[in-house]
Amino acid sequence: MYYSLEKMLGTRSHSFITTAEAAKLLGYEVQHVRYLIRAGRVKGELFGRTWMASKSSVLEFQEAREKSKKPVSTVADPQAEVLFPDYLPIPNVASVPHRSPFRYPGGKTWLVPIARAWLANMASRRQTLIEPFAGGGGIGLMSVFERYAERAILVELDPYVASVWTAILNGNGPALAQMIRDFKLSREAAIEALAQDSTEPLQRAFQTILRNRVSRGGILAPGAGLVKVGEAGKGIASRWYPETLAERILAIDKRRDSFDFIEGDGLVVLDKHETDPDAAFFIDPPYPKAGKRLYSCHDLDHRKLFVHMSMLRGPILATYDDNPEIEA
Protein backbone atom coordinates (compact mmCIF):
# COMPACT_ATOMS: atom_id res chain seq x y z
CA MET A 1 0.00 0.00 0.00
CA TYR A 2 1.31 3.47 -0.88
CA TYR A 3 1.36 6.24 1.71
CA SER A 4 2.11 9.84 0.87
CA LEU A 5 4.83 11.69 2.75
CA GLU A 6 2.23 14.03 4.23
CA LYS A 7 0.32 11.09 5.71
CA MET A 8 3.52 9.61 7.11
CA LEU A 9 4.43 12.91 8.77
CA GLY A 10 0.91 13.38 10.10
CA THR A 11 0.56 16.18 12.64
CA ARG A 12 4.33 16.68 12.70
CA SER A 13 4.43 18.01 9.14
CA HIS A 14 4.84 21.61 10.37
CA SER A 15 7.96 20.61 12.34
CA PHE A 16 9.90 19.19 9.38
CA ILE A 17 11.12 20.55 6.07
CA THR A 18 12.65 18.78 3.10
CA THR A 19 16.42 18.69 2.71
CA ALA A 20 15.98 20.82 -0.41
CA GLU A 21 14.17 23.47 1.64
CA ALA A 22 16.83 23.27 4.34
CA ALA A 23 19.58 23.61 1.73
CA LYS A 24 17.95 26.73 0.31
CA LEU A 25 17.58 28.21 3.79
CA LEU A 26 21.22 27.55 4.71
CA GLY A 27 22.74 28.26 1.31
CA TYR A 28 24.18 24.75 1.00
CA GLU A 29 23.86 21.89 -1.45
CA VAL A 30 21.28 19.21 -0.58
CA GLN A 31 24.08 16.66 -0.14
CA HIS A 32 25.66 18.80 2.56
CA VAL A 33 22.38 19.05 4.48
CA ARG A 34 22.15 15.27 4.40
CA TYR A 35 25.70 15.10 5.73
CA LEU A 36 24.80 17.48 8.59
CA ILE A 37 21.90 15.19 9.52
CA ARG A 38 24.09 12.08 9.44
CA ALA A 39 26.75 13.87 11.50
CA GLY A 40 24.16 14.89 14.09
CA ARG A 41 24.70 18.61 13.56
CA VAL A 42 21.12 19.02 12.33
CA LYS A 43 18.28 16.85 13.61
CA GLY A 44 16.44 14.84 11.01
CA GLU A 45 14.36 11.73 10.52
CA LEU A 46 13.96 9.22 7.75
CA PHE A 47 10.36 8.87 6.56
CA GLY A 48 10.25 5.89 4.23
CA ARG A 49 13.15 6.68 1.90
CA THR A 50 13.02 10.44 2.36
CA TRP A 51 15.18 12.40 4.80
CA MET A 52 13.43 15.34 6.46
CA ALA A 53 15.13 17.99 8.59
CA SER A 54 13.80 19.42 11.81
CA LYS A 55 12.92 23.01 11.01
CA SER A 56 13.83 24.25 14.49
CA SER A 57 17.16 22.42 14.36
CA VAL A 58 17.97 23.97 10.98
CA LEU A 59 17.21 27.44 12.35
CA GLU A 60 19.35 26.77 15.44
CA PHE A 61 22.23 25.61 13.24
CA GLN A 62 21.88 28.71 11.06
CA GLU A 63 21.90 30.98 14.11
CA ALA A 64 24.93 29.25 15.65
CA ARG A 65 26.80 29.43 12.34
CA GLU A 66 26.16 33.15 12.03
CA LYS A 67 27.33 33.77 15.57
CA SER A 68 30.53 31.76 15.34
CA LYS A 69 32.06 32.74 11.99
CA LYS A 70 35.16 30.85 13.11
CA PRO A 71 38.06 29.96 10.84
CA VAL A 72 38.41 26.35 9.74
CA SER A 73 41.10 25.51 12.29
CA THR A 74 38.85 26.27 15.28
CA VAL A 75 35.52 24.69 14.34
CA ALA A 76 34.16 21.74 16.27
CA ASP A 77 34.11 19.43 13.26
CA PRO A 78 37.13 20.19 11.05
CA GLN A 79 36.49 17.17 8.84
CA ALA A 80 33.24 18.72 7.63
CA GLU A 81 35.05 21.89 6.67
CA VAL A 82 37.64 19.84 4.81
CA LEU A 83 35.06 17.94 2.81
CA PHE A 84 32.76 20.85 2.04
CA PRO A 85 34.70 23.78 0.60
CA ASP A 86 31.82 26.23 0.94
CA TYR A 87 33.34 26.83 4.38
CA LEU A 88 36.64 27.83 2.81
CA PRO A 89 37.62 30.84 0.70
CA ILE A 90 38.88 29.89 -2.75
CA PRO A 91 42.65 30.37 -2.48
CA ASN A 92 44.70 32.54 -4.76
CA VAL A 93 46.21 29.81 -6.91
CA ALA A 94 49.30 31.97 -7.43
CA SER A 95 50.09 31.34 -3.74
CA VAL A 96 49.97 27.54 -4.18
CA PRO A 97 53.20 25.85 -5.34
CA HIS A 98 52.81 24.54 -8.90
CA ARG A 99 54.51 21.14 -9.09
CA SER A 100 53.04 19.59 -12.23
CA PRO A 101 54.51 20.17 -15.70
CA PHE A 102 50.97 20.05 -17.08
CA ARG A 103 48.64 22.95 -17.59
CA TYR A 104 45.74 20.61 -17.15
CA PRO A 105 42.06 21.34 -17.84
CA GLY A 106 40.25 20.60 -14.61
CA GLY A 107 43.51 20.99 -12.68
CA LYS A 108 43.21 20.94 -8.91
CA THR A 109 45.62 23.68 -7.81
CA TRP A 110 42.69 25.42 -6.08
CA LEU A 111 42.00 22.22 -4.12
CA VAL A 112 45.52 21.86 -2.68
CA PRO A 113 44.77 23.66 0.65
CA ILE A 114 41.70 21.46 1.16
CA ALA A 115 43.64 18.29 0.31
CA ARG A 116 46.37 19.33 2.75
CA ALA A 117 43.81 19.71 5.53
CA TRP A 118 42.22 16.37 4.60
CA LEU A 119 45.58 14.58 4.83
CA ALA A 120 46.62 16.45 7.99
CA ASN A 121 43.38 15.53 9.79
CA MET A 122 44.03 11.80 9.49
CA ALA A 123 44.99 9.95 12.65
CA SER A 124 48.42 9.12 11.24
CA ARG A 125 50.40 9.87 8.13
CA ARG A 126 49.43 7.59 5.28
CA GLN A 127 52.13 5.49 3.69
CA THR A 128 50.54 5.76 0.25
CA LEU A 129 48.35 8.22 -1.62
CA ILE A 130 46.73 6.69 -4.69
CA GLU A 131 45.52 8.89 -7.55
CA PRO A 132 43.71 6.52 -9.97
CA PHE A 133 42.90 9.28 -12.51
CA ALA A 134 46.14 11.22 -12.22
CA GLY A 135 46.09 13.63 -15.15
CA GLY A 136 48.42 16.39 -14.01
CA GLY A 137 48.96 14.60 -10.69
CA GLY A 138 48.82 17.77 -8.60
CA ILE A 139 47.53 16.24 -5.37
CA GLY A 140 49.82 13.22 -5.57
CA LEU A 141 52.80 15.50 -6.11
CA MET A 142 51.80 17.70 -3.17
CA SER A 143 51.40 14.71 -0.85
CA VAL A 144 54.99 13.59 -1.45
CA PHE A 145 56.67 17.00 -1.76
CA GLU A 146 55.07 18.18 1.49
CA ARG A 147 55.53 14.81 3.25
CA TYR A 148 51.91 13.95 3.85
CA ALA A 149 52.56 10.51 2.34
CA GLU A 150 55.56 8.22 2.06
CA ARG A 151 54.83 7.63 -1.61
CA ALA A 152 52.22 8.27 -4.26
CA ILE A 153 50.85 5.93 -6.92
CA LEU A 154 49.80 7.80 -10.04
CA VAL A 155 47.57 6.01 -12.55
CA GLU A 156 46.73 7.29 -16.02
CA LEU A 157 45.02 5.61 -18.97
CA ASP A 158 45.72 8.24 -21.64
CA PRO A 159 48.88 6.99 -23.44
CA TYR A 160 50.12 10.52 -24.19
CA VAL A 161 49.79 11.78 -20.63
CA ALA A 162 51.23 8.46 -19.46
CA SER A 163 54.28 8.97 -21.68
CA VAL A 164 55.22 12.08 -19.69
CA TRP A 165 54.95 10.39 -16.29
CA THR A 166 56.77 7.32 -17.60
CA ALA A 167 59.64 9.46 -18.87
CA ILE A 168 60.01 11.48 -15.68
CA LEU A 169 59.60 8.62 -13.21
CA ASN A 170 61.76 6.15 -15.17
CA GLY A 171 64.83 8.38 -15.04
CA ASN A 172 64.42 10.33 -18.29
CA GLY A 173 63.36 13.55 -16.56
CA PRO A 174 66.70 15.34 -17.16
CA ALA A 175 66.62 14.45 -20.87
CA LEU A 176 63.02 15.69 -21.18
CA ALA A 177 63.88 18.89 -19.33
CA GLN A 178 66.78 19.51 -21.74
CA MET A 179 64.54 18.96 -24.78
CA ILE A 180 62.16 21.60 -23.44
CA ARG A 181 65.02 24.05 -22.79
CA ASP A 182 66.48 23.53 -26.27
CA PHE A 183 63.22 23.98 -28.18
CA LYS A 184 62.88 27.38 -29.88
CA LEU A 185 59.17 28.04 -29.82
CA SER A 186 57.31 29.65 -32.69
CA ARG A 187 53.94 28.83 -34.18
CA GLU A 188 55.61 27.20 -37.18
CA ALA A 189 58.04 25.22 -35.02
CA ALA A 190 55.20 23.99 -32.77
CA ILE A 191 53.09 22.85 -35.74
CA GLU A 192 56.06 21.04 -37.24
CA ALA A 193 57.01 19.33 -33.98
CA LEU A 194 53.45 18.23 -33.25
CA ALA A 195 52.99 16.85 -36.78
CA GLN A 196 55.83 14.35 -36.35
CA ASP A 197 54.59 10.78 -35.98
CA SER A 198 57.07 9.62 -33.40
CA THR A 199 56.85 6.31 -31.58
CA GLU A 200 59.98 7.05 -29.55
CA PRO A 201 58.80 7.38 -25.90
CA LEU A 202 60.84 10.47 -24.97
CA GLN A 203 59.83 12.32 -28.12
CA ARG A 204 56.18 11.47 -27.46
CA ALA A 205 56.51 12.85 -23.93
CA PHE A 206 57.95 16.10 -25.30
CA GLN A 207 55.18 16.38 -27.88
CA THR A 208 52.57 15.88 -25.15
CA ILE A 209 54.03 18.66 -22.97
CA LEU A 210 54.28 20.94 -26.00
CA ARG A 211 50.69 20.26 -27.09
CA ASN A 212 49.42 20.75 -23.56
CA ARG A 213 51.18 24.11 -23.33
CA VAL A 214 50.30 25.56 -26.72
CA SER A 215 46.71 24.26 -27.06
CA ARG A 216 43.81 26.44 -26.04
CA GLY A 217 42.92 25.67 -22.44
CA GLY A 218 45.63 22.99 -22.27
CA ILE A 219 43.18 20.58 -23.90
CA LEU A 220 44.75 17.36 -25.18
CA ALA A 221 41.58 15.90 -26.73
CA PRO A 222 41.48 15.63 -30.53
CA GLY A 223 40.42 18.81 -32.29
CA ALA A 224 41.87 21.28 -29.79
CA GLY A 225 43.30 24.30 -31.59
CA LEU A 226 46.45 26.22 -30.81
CA VAL A 227 46.48 29.37 -28.71
CA LYS A 228 45.96 32.49 -30.84
CA VAL A 229 45.92 35.67 -28.74
CA GLY A 230 46.94 34.20 -25.39
CA GLU A 231 47.71 36.05 -22.18
CA ALA A 232 48.79 39.68 -22.58
CA GLY A 233 48.77 39.13 -26.33
CA LYS A 234 51.74 36.74 -26.15
CA GLY A 235 50.04 34.25 -28.43
CA ILE A 236 51.36 30.72 -28.51
CA ALA A 237 54.15 31.56 -26.04
CA SER A 238 51.67 32.49 -23.30
CA ARG A 239 52.16 29.24 -21.38
CA TRP A 240 55.57 28.16 -22.64
CA TYR A 241 58.03 28.72 -19.80
CA PRO A 242 60.90 26.35 -20.62
CA GLU A 243 63.01 27.05 -17.54
CA THR A 244 60.05 26.73 -15.18
CA LEU A 245 58.89 23.51 -16.84
CA ALA A 246 62.39 22.07 -16.74
CA GLU A 247 62.75 22.92 -13.04
CA ARG A 248 59.44 21.24 -12.20
CA ILE A 249 60.43 18.09 -14.07
CA LEU A 250 63.84 17.97 -12.39
CA ALA A 251 62.27 18.46 -8.96
CA ILE A 252 60.01 15.44 -9.57
CA ASP A 253 62.98 13.48 -10.91
CA LYS A 254 64.84 14.01 -7.61
CA ARG A 255 61.91 12.43 -5.76
CA ARG A 256 61.04 9.77 -8.32
CA ASP A 257 61.80 6.94 -5.84
CA SER A 258 58.74 8.12 -3.88
CA PHE A 259 56.43 7.62 -6.86
CA ASP A 260 55.03 4.63 -8.71
CA PHE A 261 53.39 5.16 -12.06
CA ILE A 262 50.90 2.77 -13.68
CA GLU A 263 49.63 3.23 -17.22
CA GLY A 264 46.25 1.61 -17.07
CA ASP A 265 42.74 1.47 -15.66
CA GLY A 266 42.25 3.28 -12.37
CA LEU A 267 39.41 0.93 -11.39
CA VAL A 268 41.77 -2.04 -11.54
CA VAL A 269 44.20 -0.27 -9.22
CA LEU A 270 41.41 0.60 -6.77
CA ASP A 271 40.39 -3.05 -6.73
CA LYS A 272 43.98 -4.11 -6.01
CA HIS A 273 44.25 -1.75 -3.03
CA GLU A 274 40.71 -2.27 -1.73
CA THR A 275 41.79 -3.67 1.64
CA ASP A 276 44.92 -1.56 2.12
CA PRO A 277 44.41 0.30 5.42
CA ASP A 278 47.52 2.45 4.91
CA ALA A 279 46.39 3.97 1.62
CA ALA A 280 44.41 7.15 1.06
CA PHE A 281 42.68 7.84 -2.24
CA PHE A 282 42.29 11.08 -4.17
CA ILE A 283 39.73 10.29 -6.87
CA ASP A 284 39.25 12.90 -9.60
CA PRO A 285 37.64 11.07 -12.53
CA PRO A 286 36.81 12.58 -15.93
CA TYR A 287 33.50 14.32 -15.37
CA PRO A 288 30.43 13.01 -17.27
CA LYS A 289 29.81 16.17 -19.31
CA ALA A 290 33.03 18.17 -19.45
CA GLY A 291 35.20 15.08 -19.86
CA LYS A 292 33.98 14.46 -23.40
CA ARG A 293 35.28 17.84 -24.47
CA LEU A 294 38.50 17.93 -22.45
CA TYR A 295 40.01 14.45 -22.44
CA SER A 296 40.87 11.72 -24.91
CA CYS A 297 40.05 9.02 -22.33
CA HIS A 298 36.73 10.11 -20.88
CA ASP A 299 34.50 7.00 -20.99
CA LEU A 300 33.90 5.74 -17.47
CA ASP A 301 31.24 3.66 -15.74
CA HIS A 302 30.63 6.06 -12.85
CA ARG A 303 28.26 3.70 -11.06
CA LYS A 304 30.96 1.04 -11.12
CA LEU A 305 33.44 3.58 -9.75
CA PHE A 306 31.11 4.34 -6.82
CA VAL A 307 30.88 0.61 -6.09
CA HIS A 308 34.67 0.42 -5.98
CA MET A 309 34.85 3.49 -3.75
CA SER A 310 32.36 1.98 -1.31
CA MET A 311 34.64 -1.03 -0.84
CA LEU A 312 37.82 0.89 -0.06
CA ARG A 313 39.09 0.61 3.49
CA GLY A 314 41.19 3.78 3.38
CA PRO A 315 39.90 7.38 3.39
CA ILE A 316 38.71 8.99 0.17
CA LEU A 317 38.62 12.53 -1.15
CA ALA A 318 36.65 12.60 -4.40
CA THR A 319 35.70 15.44 -6.73
CA TYR A 320 32.81 15.66 -9.18
CA ASP A 321 30.91 18.26 -11.14
CA ASP A 322 27.32 19.06 -10.14
CA ASN A 323 25.61 16.47 -12.30
CA PRO A 324 22.18 14.78 -11.95
CA GLU A 325 23.64 11.42 -13.02
CA ILE A 326 26.19 11.52 -10.21
CA GLU A 327 23.72 12.81 -7.63
CA ALA A 328 21.44 9.88 -8.46
Side-chain angles (χ1 to χ4, degrees):
M1 182 178 295
Y2 172 77
Y3 292 96
S4 70
L5 185 60
E6 288 183 0
K7 288 184 178 180
M8 294 175 70
L9 285 169
T11 59
R12 294 189 293 167
S13 60
H14 67 280
S15 301
F16 288 86
I17 57 177
T18 66
T19 51
E21 290 170 331
K24 186 175 181 180
L25 188 63
L26 295 172
Y28 292 149
E29 296 293 328
V30 172
Q31 294 93 326
H32 188 34
V33 173
R34 292 172 184 162
Y35 165 79
L36 292 174
I37 293 173
R38 291 195 302 272
R41 298 177 68 184
V42 168
K43 293 180 181 178
E45 290 188 30
L46 188 62
F47 294 91
R49 296 182 179 180
T50 303
W51 275 105
M52 302 288 288
S54 163
K55 187 174 182 179
S56 60
S57 181
V58 170
L59 294 175
E60 288 172 6
F61 178 87
Q62 184 185 42
E63 183 180 359
R65 183 188 63 179
E66 293 302 315
K67 286 181 178 179
S68 64
K69 294 293 185 181
K70 293 180 181 178
V72 175
S73 60
T74 61
V75 294
D77 185 2
Q79 189 69 1
E81 278 64 33
V82 171
L83 296 178
F84 299 95
D86 48 326
Y87 279 93
L88 296 171
I90 298 298
N92 178 359
V93 295
S95 67
V96 178
H98 288 59
R99 317 257 187 215
S100 175
F102 286 96
R103 175 199 176 199
Y104 218 76
K108 292 299 179 288
T109 301
W110 65 271
L111 188 69
V112 166
I114 298 170
R116 283 179 185 144
W118 170 63
L119 290 165
N121 279 337
M122 293 178 190
S124 60
R125 186 173 72 163
R126 294 284 152 172
Q127 290 189 5
T128 307
L129 179 78
I130 299 175
E131 212 173 332
F133 307 97
I139 302 303
L141 293 173
M142 178 276 291
S143 71
V144 168
F145 273 72
E146 300 183 20
R147 300 184 178 181
Y148 288 105
E150 297 280 348
R151 68 180 183 130
I153 299 176
L154 305 180
V155 187
E156 179 56 52
L157 186 61
D158 186 310
Y160 294 96
V161 177
S163 70
V164 175
W165 291 118
T166 299
I168 297 173
L169 298 177
N170 281 5
N172 284 322
L176 179 59
Q178 194 59 50
M179 291 176 72
I180 291 171
R181 282 177 167 145
D182 291 343
F183 185 69
K184 305 303 180 184
L185 179 67
S186 68
R187 191 174 189 84
E188 294 73 22
I191 292 172
E192 181 181 353
L194 294 174
Q196 296 177 14
D197 186 17
S198 176
T199 57
E200 199 278 317
L202 191 57
Q203 182 64 28
R204 174 180 280 194
F206 171 76
Q207 286 179 317
T208 302
I209 290 290
L210 178 62
R211 184 180 300 281
N212 174 249
R213 286 280 157 177
V214 302
S215 295
R216 286 198 298 270
I219 298 173
L220 289 171
L226 301 184
V227 172
K228 291 183 179 179
V229 178
E231 296 178 3
K234 293 181 180 178
I236 202 169
S238 293
R239 291 284 184 169
W240 184 251
Y241 308 117
E243 285 301 320
T244 299
L245 290 171
E247 288 171 6
R248 290 181 190 177
I249 289 169
L250 292 175
I252 299 169
D253 173 72
K254 288 181 179 179
R255 296 166 175 80
R256 68 178 186 271
D257 290 343
S258 297
F259 293 92
D260 291 324
F261 176 71
I262 299 171
E263 180 179 355
D265 188 340
L267 296 181
V268 173
V269 177
L270 289 180
D271 183 60
K272 181 179 178 181
H273 291 272
E274 180 181 297
T275 60
D276 186 352
D278 295 320
F281 303 85
F282 173 63
I283 300 177
D284 181 36
Y287 298 162
K289 289 186 178 180
K292 297 177 182 179
R293 178 176 61 86
L294 298 176
Y295 312 123
S296 298
C297 298
H298 58 79
D299 288 331
L300 178 65
D301 185 336
H302 293 275
R303 185 175 294 277
K304 186 175 182 181
L305 171 58
F306 271 86
V307 171
H308 278 273
M309 289 166 62
S310 72
M311 302 297 289
L312 297 174
R313 182 177 296 182
I316 304 165
L317 177 62
T319 66
Y320 263 105
D321 56 351
D322 187 5
N323 184 287
E325 175 189 346
I326 300 305
E327 184 177 351

